Amino acid sequence: MIHFSLRCSHDHRFDEWFMNSTEYETRSAAGEIVCPTCGDTGVTKAIMAPNLGGGTGSAPEMPSCGMGGGFGGCAGGMCGLGHSH
């Protein structure tokens, strides 16, 4: 899993998880990444600072959207954090 901070053309910022960078590229090219604030599909990667902390090396936990259910705490369908189920 890979986490990207994203930004729409209206400068709304949000985060989304992808299986890999190829999934991001494929979904972006198809206009399938949608801003949860305004519905814009003109989404690009926002600048991110690298995590330089001396952590345990484990991947960060997937954030929950609070909708209950399976994947990352999301219900079926498309949740508010853009998790695809």
Side-chain angles (χ1 to χ4, degrees):
M1 298 295 295
I2 188 167
H3 170 252
F4 288 132
S5 289
L6 304 173
R7 181 177 78 174
C8 79
S9 63
H10 301 284
D11 206 29
H12 298 128
R13 295 171 188 262
F14 59 101
D15 295 338
E16 192 162 334
W17 289 87
F18 299 91
M19 292 302 293
N20 52 46
S21 60
T22 302
E23 180 192 8
Y24 165 79
E25 296 296 335
T26 301
R27 289 183 56 205
S28 179
E32 295 176 354
I33 304 172
V34 180
C35 174
T37 302
C38 67
D40 185 14
T41 57
V43 174
T44 59
K45 292 180 197 173
I47 296 174
M48 294 178 57
N51 182 358
L52 300 177
T56 63
S58 62
E61 187 173 323
M62 180 85 69
S64 172
C65 68
M67 294 178 69
F71 182 78
C74 303
M78 185 67 86
C79 74
L81 289 179
H83 299 147
S84 177
H85 304 274

